[in-house]
Amino acid sequence: MRIDKWLWAARFFKTRSLATDAVSGGKVRLNDAPTKPSRDVKAGDRLEISNGDTRWQVVVLALSDKRGPAPEARLLYEETAASIAEREAEQQRRQLAREPAAEIHGRPTKRDRRQIDRFGR
């Protein structure tokens, strides 16, 4: 089964085209090697998936070419213990330290600009 189709069925990506773009862009590694969207995945393969700020390290348990409910999708893979610990640590870090630019959306307003200038002095 194609890796992009499996990633879509396992609900790592919302659409198959997003899964294809991620694999093509190097966001997915199969058995510690870069891969192409047409590459076949089989049970026992290790995948490293990066989707935005979230990273997963999973082992493929089963194959499915149909996208089903999330509880069924979770049966297709098993996340490694190191991956779980890393994601929880990242979540804790985000809760404790907010990103400074998280509140700024798009181009600064005139008021934002004045605050930036005051801060720079």
Side-chain angles (χ1 to χ4, degrees):
M1 153 173 266
R2 289 175 57 110
I3 192 167
D4 60 344
K5 200 168 188 181
W6 185 88
L7 289 167
W8 168 75
R11 294 185 163 264
F12 285 103
F13 296 95
K14 201 168 197 173
T15 64
R16 187 167 167 199
S17 63
L18 287 175
T20 303
D21 292 344
V23 175
S24 298
K27 305 283 187 203
V28 178
R29 295 176 64 85
L30 176 66
N31 296 326
D32 297 326
T35 187
K36 294 193 268 182
S38 61
R39 182 77 183 262
D40 285 337
V41 66
K42 60 187 181 302
D45 284 344
R46 291 179 49 87
L47 293 174
E48 295 175 25
I49 305 159
S50 177
N51 188 359
D53 294 337
T54 311
R55 295 175 165 271
W56 292 280
Q57 294 175 352
V58 298
V59 176
V60 177
L61 297 179
L63 303 176
S64 175
D65 59 349
K66 293 186 178 180
R67 186 176 170 100
E72 289 179 18
R74 277 189 229 111
L75 299 175
L76 298 178
Y77 62 90
E78 179 181 22
E79 189 173 5
T80 63
S83 176
I84 294 170
E86 185 179 319
R87 279 192 313 109
E88 288 175 354
E90 180 67 21
Q91 185 179 13
Q92 287 289 333
R93 187 191 65 77
R94 274 193 228 132
Q95 286 178 351
L96 295 176
R98 290 279 178 199
E99 187 69 31
E103 296 175 11
I104 299 174
H105 301 286
R107 189 172 175 177
T109 63
K110 191 171 187 178
R111 180 174 178 261
D112 293 337
R113 191 61 169 168
R114 287 184 187 135
Q115 289 176 342
I116 292 169
D117 289 342
R118 256 186 253 125
F119 182 73
R121 290 182 191 176

mmCIF file of all heavy atoms in Angstrom, residues 3-5 7-8 11-28 37 49-52 67:
data_model
loop_
_atom_site.group_PDB
_atom_site.id
_atom_site.type_symbol
_atom_site.label_atom_id
_atom_site.label_comp_id
_atom_site.label_asym_id
_atom_site.label_seq_id
_atom_site.Cartn_x
_atom_site.Cartn_y
_atom_site.Cartn_z
ATOM 1 N N ILE A 3 2.427 4.824 0.816
ATOM 2 C CA ILE A 3 2.613 5.480 2.108
ATOM 3 C C ILE A 3 1.696 6.695 2.273
ATOM 4 O O ILE A 3 1.158 6.926 3.354
ATOM 5 C CB ILE A 3 4.091 5.850 2.340
ATOM 6 C CG1 ILE A 3 4.314 6.252 3.788
ATOM 7 C CG2 ILE A 3 4.544 6.915 1.387
ATOM 8 C CD1 ILE A 3 5.762 6.342 4.180
ATOM 9 N N ASP A 4 1.468 7.445 1.195
ATOM 10 C CA ASP A 4 0.599 8.617 1.319
ATOM 11 C C ASP A 4 -0.844 8.205 1.608
ATOM 12 O O ASP A 4 -1.539 8.846 2.400
ATOM 13 C CB ASP A 4 0.692 9.505 0.082
ATOM 14 C CG ASP A 4 0.282 8.805 -1.199
ATOM 15 O OD1 ASP A 4 0.213 7.563 -1.219
ATOM 16 O OD2 ASP A 4 0.047 9.514 -2.201
ATOM 17 N N LYS A 5 -1.277 7.114 1.020
ATOM 18 C CA LYS A 5 -2.637 6.626 1.263
ATOM 19 C C LYS A 5 -2.779 6.119 2.700
ATOM 20 O O LYS A 5 -3.793 6.337 3.359
ATOM 21 C CB LYS A 5 -2.961 5.517 0.266
ATOM 22 C CG LYS A 5 -4.418 5.268 0.083
ATOM 23 C CD LYS A 5 -4.655 4.371 -1.112
ATOM 24 C CE LYS A 5 -6.124 4.279 -1.410
ATOM 25 N NZ LYS A 5 -6.392 3.395 -2.534
ATOM 26 N N LEU A 7 -0.980 7.129 5.350
ATOM 27 C CA LEU A 7 -0.956 8.287 6.254
ATOM 28 C C LEU A 7 -2.317 8.972 6.312
ATOM 29 O O LEU A 7 -2.750 9.430 7.370
ATOM 30 C CB LEU A 7 0.115 9.287 5.810
ATOM 31 C CG LEU A 7 1.561 8.864 6.030
ATOM 32 C CD1 LEU A 7 2.491 9.769 5.263
ATOM 33 C CD2 LEU A 7 1.890 8.844 7.497
ATOM 34 N N TRP A 8 -3.000 9.042 5.191
ATOM 35 C CA TRP A 8 -4.341 9.625 5.143
ATOM 36 C C TRP A 8 -5.324 8.739 5.898
ATOM 37 O O TRP A 8 -6.125 9.232 6.694
ATOM 38 C CB TRP A 8 -4.758 9.803 3.682
ATOM 39 C CG TRP A 8 -6.183 10.122 3.480
ATOM 40 C CD1 TRP A 8 -6.792 11.320 3.720
ATOM 41 C CD2 TRP A 8 -7.198 9.244 3.011
ATOM 42 N NE1 TRP A 8 -8.128 11.230 3.412
ATOM 43 C CE2 TRP A 8 -8.399 9.959 2.973
ATOM 44 C CE3 TRP A 8 -7.199 7.919 2.613
ATOM 45 C CZ2 TRP A 8 -9.589 9.391 2.566
ATOM 46 C CZ3 TRP A 8 -8.376 7.353 2.196
ATOM 47 C CH2 TRP A 8 -9.562 8.087 2.173
ATOM 48 N N ARG A 11 -5.100 8.938 9.596
ATOM 49 C CA ARG A 11 -5.510 10.249 10.090
ATOM 50 C C ARG A 11 -4.365 11.131 10.578
ATOM 51 O O ARG A 11 -4.522 11.951 11.474
ATOM 52 C CB ARG A 11 -6.573 10.127 11.180
ATOM 53 C CG ARG A 11 -7.862 9.567 10.644
ATOM 54 C CD ARG A 11 -8.931 9.579 11.730
ATOM 55 N NE ARG A 11 -10.225 9.425 11.108
ATOM 56 C CZ ARG A 11 -11.034 10.443 10.803
ATOM 57 N NH1 ARG A 11 -10.684 11.659 11.070
ATOM 58 N NH2 ARG A 11 -12.194 10.222 10.243
ATOM 59 N N PHE A 12 -3.198 10.997 9.971
ATOM 60 C CA PHE A 12 -2.115 11.930 10.270
ATOM 61 C C PHE A 12 -2.270 13.202 9.460
ATOM 62 O O PHE A 12 -1.779 14.259 9.851
ATOM 63 C CB PHE A 12 -0.752 11.292 9.987
ATOM 64 C CG PHE A 12 -0.345 10.304 11.033
ATOM 65 C CD1 PHE A 12 -0.442 8.943 10.803
ATOM 66 C CD2 PHE A 12 0.118 10.727 12.260
ATOM 67 C CE1 PHE A 12 -0.081 8.034 11.769
ATOM 68 C CE2 PHE A 12 0.480 9.834 13.241
ATOM 69 C CZ PHE A 12 0.383 8.470 12.990
ATOM 70 N N PHE A 13 -2.942 13.098 8.307
ATOM 71 C CA PHE A 13 -3.191 14.248 7.444
ATOM 72 C C PHE A 13 -4.657 14.254 7.045
ATOM 73 O O PHE A 13 -5.269 13.205 6.880
ATOM 74 C CB PHE A 13 -2.295 14.205 6.200
ATOM 75 C CG PHE A 13 -0.841 14.314 6.531
ATOM 76 C CD1 PHE A 13 -0.061 13.181 6.685
ATOM 77 C CD2 PHE A 13 -0.256 15.550 6.726
ATOM 78 C CE1 PHE A 13 1.267 13.274 7.015
ATOM 79 C CE2 PHE A 13 1.075 15.657 7.061
ATOM 80 C CZ PHE A 13 1.845 14.520 7.204
ATOM 81 N N LYS A 14 -5.203 15.449 6.873
ATOM 82 C CA LYS A 14 -6.626 15.612 6.597
ATOM 83 C C LYS A 14 -7.007 15.152 5.191
ATOM 84 O O LYS A 14 -8.093 14.624 4.982
ATOM 85 C CB LYS A 14 -7.006 17.076 6.791
ATOM 86 C CG LYS A 14 -8.457 17.304 7.035
ATOM 87 C CD LYS A 14 -8.686 18.716 7.499
ATOM 88 C CE LYS A 14 -10.051 18.837 8.128
ATOM 89 N NZ LYS A 14 -10.252 20.120 8.736
ATOM 90 N N THR A 15 -6.129 15.365 4.218
ATOM 91 C CA THR A 15 -6.399 14.937 2.851
ATOM 92 C C THR A 15 -5.212 14.136 2.329
ATOM 93 O O THR A 15 -4.089 14.264 2.836
ATOM 94 C CB THR A 15 -6.630 16.132 1.900
ATOM 95 O OG1 THR A 15 -5.423 16.896 1.813
ATOM 96 C CG2 THR A 15 -7.769 17.015 2.378
ATOM 97 N N ARG A 16 -5.484 13.357 1.306
ATOM 98 C CA ARG A 16 -4.410 12.558 0.726
ATOM 99 C C ARG A 16 -3.391 13.448 0.031
ATOM 100 O O ARG A 16 -2.194 13.158 0.041
ATOM 101 C CB ARG A 16 -5.000 11.545 -0.245
ATOM 102 C CG ARG A 16 -3.969 10.590 -0.738
ATOM 103 C CD ARG A 16 -4.576 9.418 -1.431
ATOM 104 N NE ARG A 16 -3.541 8.702 -2.148
ATOM 105 C CZ ARG A 16 -3.774 7.864 -3.111
ATOM 106 N NH1 ARG A 16 -5.012 7.614 -3.472
ATOM 107 N NH2 ARG A 16 -2.792 7.257 -3.720
ATOM 108 N N SER A 17 -3.844 14.543 -0.556
ATOM 109 C CA SER A 17 -2.891 15.438 -1.216
ATOM 110 C C SER A 17 -1.961 16.099 -0.202
ATOM 111 O O SER A 17 -0.776 16.323 -0.497
ATOM 112 C CB SER A 17 -3.618 16.485 -2.054
ATOM 113 O OG SER A 17 -4.415 17.301 -1.246
ATOM 114 N N LEU A 18 -2.453 16.407 0.997
ATOM 115 C CA LEU A 18 -1.572 16.940 2.037
ATOM 116 C C LEU A 18 -0.542 15.894 2.455
ATOM 117 O O LEU A 18 0.627 16.219 2.706
ATOM 118 C CB LEU A 18 -2.387 17.386 3.256
ATOM 119 C CG LEU A 18 -3.189 18.665 3.111
ATOM 120 C CD1 LEU A 18 -4.034 18.899 4.366
ATOM 121 C CD2 LEU A 18 -2.275 19.848 2.874
ATOM 122 N N ALA A 19 -0.976 14.636 2.527
ATOM 123 C CA ALA A 19 -0.047 13.550 2.862
ATOM 124 C C ALA A 19 1.012 13.408 1.775
ATOM 125 O O ALA A 19 2.200 13.246 2.067
ATOM 126 C CB ALA A 19 -0.809 12.244 3.044
ATOM 127 N N THR A 20 0.606 13.491 0.522
ATOM 128 C CA THR A 20 1.543 13.391 -0.594
ATOM 129 C C THR A 20 2.556 14.533 -0.554
ATOM 130 O O THR A 20 3.761 14.309 -0.742
ATOM 131 C CB THR A 20 0.783 13.410 -1.936
ATOM 132 O OG1 THR A 20 -0.159 12.342 -1.939
ATOM 133 C CG2 THR A 20 1.721 13.268 -3.108
ATOM 134 N N ASP A 21 2.070 15.744 -0.305
ATOM 135 C CA ASP A 21 2.967 16.905 -0.221
ATOM 136 C C ASP A 21 3.955 16.766 0.931
ATOM 137 O O ASP A 21 5.126 17.136 0.801
ATOM 138 C CB ASP A 21 2.168 18.192 -0.063
ATOM 139 C CG ASP A 21 1.359 18.536 -1.300
ATOM 140 O OD1 ASP A 21 1.642 17.962 -2.382
ATOM 141 O OD2 ASP A 21 0.431 19.365 -1.187
ATOM 142 N N ALA A 22 3.498 16.242 2.059
ATOM 143 C CA ALA A 22 4.375 16.073 3.216
ATOM 144 C C ALA A 22 5.472 15.049 2.919
ATOM 145 O O ALA A 22 6.640 15.263 3.255
ATOM 146 C CB ALA A 22 3.571 15.645 4.435
ATOM 147 N N VAL A 23 5.099 13.942 2.300
ATOM 148 C CA VAL A 23 6.099 12.928 1.968
ATOM 149 C C VAL A 23 7.095 13.484 0.953
ATOM 150 O O VAL A 23 8.308 13.304 1.096
ATOM 151 C CB VAL A 23 5.421 11.644 1.435
ATOM 152 C CG1 VAL A 23 6.464 10.639 0.987
ATOM 153 C CG2 VAL A 23 4.528 11.030 2.499
ATOM 154 N N SER A 24 6.598 14.185 -0.063
ATOM 155 C CA SER A 24 7.476 14.776 -1.074
ATOM 156 C C SER A 24 8.396 15.834 -0.473
ATOM 157 O O SER A 24 9.538 15.995 -0.905
ATOM 158 C CB SER A 24 6.657 15.416 -2.188
ATOM 159 O OG SER A 24 5.882 14.456 -2.840
ATOM 160 N N GLY A 25 7.898 16.554 0.529
ATOM 161 C CA GLY A 25 8.664 17.622 1.157
ATOM 162 C C GLY A 25 9.631 17.149 2.220
ATOM 163 O O GLY A 25 10.274 17.963 2.887
ATOM 164 N N GLY A 26 9.745 15.844 2.442
ATOM 165 C CA GLY A 26 10.701 15.324 3.411
ATOM 166 C C GLY A 26 10.212 15.321 4.842
ATOM 167 O O GLY A 26 11.001 15.164 5.768
ATOM 168 N N LYS A 27 8.917 15.485 5.054
ATOM 169 C CA LYS A 27 8.366 15.509 6.412
ATOM 170 C C LYS A 27 8.113 14.107 6.952
ATOM 171 O O LYS A 27 7.783 13.944 8.127
ATOM 172 C CB LYS A 27 7.048 16.280 6.439
ATOM 173 C CG LYS A 27 7.137 17.669 5.885
ATOM 174 C CD LYS A 27 7.763 18.595 6.858
ATOM 175 C CE LYS A 27 7.670 20.016 6.326
ATOM 176 N NZ LYS A 27 8.656 20.869 6.878
ATOM 177 N N VAL A 28 8.233 13.104 6.099
ATOM 178 C CA VAL A 28 8.003 11.716 6.504
ATOM 179 C C VAL A 28 9.225 10.894 6.126
ATOM 180 O O VAL A 28 9.733 11.004 5.012
ATOM 181 C CB VAL A 28 6.741 11.143 5.809
ATOM 182 C CG1 VAL A 28 6.532 9.691 6.201
ATOM 183 C CG2 VAL A 28 5.518 11.968 6.150
ATOM 184 N N PRO A 37 6.117 9.441 -2.189
ATOM 185 C CA PRO A 37 4.713 9.113 -1.909
ATOM 186 C C PRO A 37 4.263 7.752 -2.447
ATOM 187 O O PRO A 37 3.379 7.126 -1.883
ATOM 188 C CB PRO A 37 3.936 10.231 -2.602
ATOM 189 C CG PRO A 37 4.893 11.334 -2.772
ATOM 190 C CD PRO A 37 6.243 10.714 -2.887
ATOM 191 N N ILE A 49 7.082 11.046 11.411
ATOM 192 C CA ILE A 49 6.156 11.964 10.759
ATOM 193 C C ILE A 49 6.233 13.315 11.450
ATOM 194 O O ILE A 49 6.119 13.397 12.673
ATOM 195 C CB ILE A 49 4.716 11.419 10.842
ATOM 196 C CG1 ILE A 49 4.665 10.007 10.264
ATOM 197 C CG2 ILE A 49 3.751 12.341 10.121
ATOM 198 C CD1 ILE A 49 3.488 9.203 10.729
ATOM 199 N N SER A 50 6.400 14.362 10.662
ATOM 200 C CA SER A 50 6.431 15.719 11.185
ATOM 201 C C SER A 50 5.282 16.487 10.540
ATOM 202 O O SER A 50 5.247 16.652 9.328
ATOM 203 C CB SER A 50 7.763 16.373 10.862
ATOM 204 O OG SER A 50 7.771 17.706 11.299
ATOM 205 N N ASN A 51 4.342 16.934 11.370
ATOM 206 C CA ASN A 51 3.174 17.657 10.867
ATOM 207 C C ASN A 51 3.077 18.969 11.644
ATOM 208 O O ASN A 51 2.493 19.021 12.717
ATOM 209 C CB ASN A 51 1.912 16.816 11.049
ATOM 210 C CG ASN A 51 0.711 17.420 10.384
ATOM 211 O OD1 ASN A 51 0.795 18.484 9.789
ATOM 212 N ND2 ASN A 51 -0.415 16.749 10.503
ATOM 213 N N GLY A 52 3.669 20.009 11.116
ATOM 214 C CA GLY A 52 3.688 21.287 11.835
ATOM 215 C C GLY A 52 4.625 21.205 13.019
ATOM 216 O O GLY A 52 5.790 20.847 12.890
ATOM 217 N N ARG A 67 -10.394 5.401 4.977
ATOM 218 C CA ARG A 67 -10.308 6.288 6.127
ATOM 219 C C ARG A 67 -11.535 6.074 6.998
ATOM 220 O O ARG A 67 -12.656 6.345 6.595
ATOM 221 C CB ARG A 67 -10.228 7.732 5.653
ATOM 222 C CG ARG A 67 -9.993 8.726 6.758
ATOM 223 C CD ARG A 67 -9.845 10.103 6.121
ATOM 224 N NE ARG A 67 -9.835 11.154 7.091
ATOM 225 C CZ ARG A 67 -8.745 11.767 7.543
ATOM 226 N NH1 ARG A 67 -7.570 11.387 7.095
ATOM 227 N NH2 ARG A 67 -8.818 12.748 8.403
#
